[in-house]
Amino acid sequence: MRARPIAVSALTALVATLALTACDDEGSGDKGNKKADSSASPAGSTACKADQVGQEVAASEAPAAGDTGSVSVTLTNRSGDDCTLEGFPRVDLTAGGTTWSLAPEESAKPEKLTLKPEETTAFTITYVRGPAGDAAKGAAVKTVKFGLPGAGADLSFPWKYGEVALRSASEPDASVGPLQRAGD
């Protein structure tokens, strides 16, 4: 009969320890002072939303037809919470009534990024400048629209970097790189 009270006492001690551990993690009010494990995505992290990122565009413009240029888009997490991104943004170039979707860089390997509030990520559009005034060989792009992986809304910015060469009527000579960590 003595074995039963010891087993019950051990079980009671185990339950009490688990209850105290749960209270320490969730109910003590100290969780804000604990450091998050940066090697794993936070459990509450969700995909970054377009309406919760700031954007900054910088270009190394192609100076003449046939030259290659790049446009870098830096995004800052303004949500106040961690968010994640993985893959390539969806990028469309628009000229008049025509829209072209850019292909991802063939050799690029995207990584999964977790952005803390105010951290940044960036992607790059690489393009070949097309000849001015030749609609068969170049597109007079006016707008770039892009979407983030896992986000429904789109962002846009005006294109001010000259015509984009066309490989064919349906394919611009341009590509988009993956989202990558930016800054420090």
Side-chain angles (χ1 to χ4, degrees):
M1 290 300 225
R2 289 183 63 89
R4 229 181 228 168
I6 293 173
V8 171
S9 295
L11 181 59
T12 304
L14 177 63
V15 170
T17 301
L18 291 174
L20 287 174
T21 303
C23 287
D24 184 51
D25 287 342
E26 298 293 326
S28 69
D30 291 336
K31 72 179 181 177
N33 295 329
K34 294 182 180 180
K35 289 188 176 183
D37 179 7
S38 62
S39 65
S41 295
S45 184
T46 60
C48 297
K49 295 178 176 62
D51 63 346
Q52 295 179 337
V53 297
Q55 76 177 10
E56 184 177 324
V57 180
S60 176
E61 188 175 335
D67 291 338
T68 300
S70 63
V71 177
S72 295
V73 180
T74 302
L75 305 171
T76 303
N77 177 6
R78 304 268 191 233
S79 71
D81 292 313
D82 291 358
C83 66
T84 58
L85 290 167
E86 183 175 14
F88 294 85
R90 183 189 72 257
V91 178
D92 296 325
L93 305 178
T94 303
T98 306
T99 299
W100 295 271
S101 294
L102 297 187
E105 282 182 19
E106 290 180 24
S107 62
K109 302 278 190 248
E111 60 182 287
K112 185 172 185 174
L113 303 171
T114 298
L115 297 180
K116 296 191 177 309
E118 301 306 315
E119 282 188 332
T120 59
T121 185
F123 67 90
T124 301
I125 299 168
T126 304
Y127 72 101
V128 174
R129 185 150 183 182
D134 187 347
K137 294 182 180 178
V141 174
K142 299 293 182 202
T143 307
V144 176
K145 183 170 69 170
F146 66 93
L148 302 175
D154 290 329
L155 295 167
S156 65
F157 61 91
W159 183 266
K160 304 173 187 178
Y161 317 110
E163 286 79 359
V164 175
L166 295 173
R167 292 183 180 141
S168 69
S170 63
E171 184 183 10
D173 196 351
S175 62
V176 62
L179 291 155
Q180 299 177 346
R181 184 135 339 256
D184 297 337

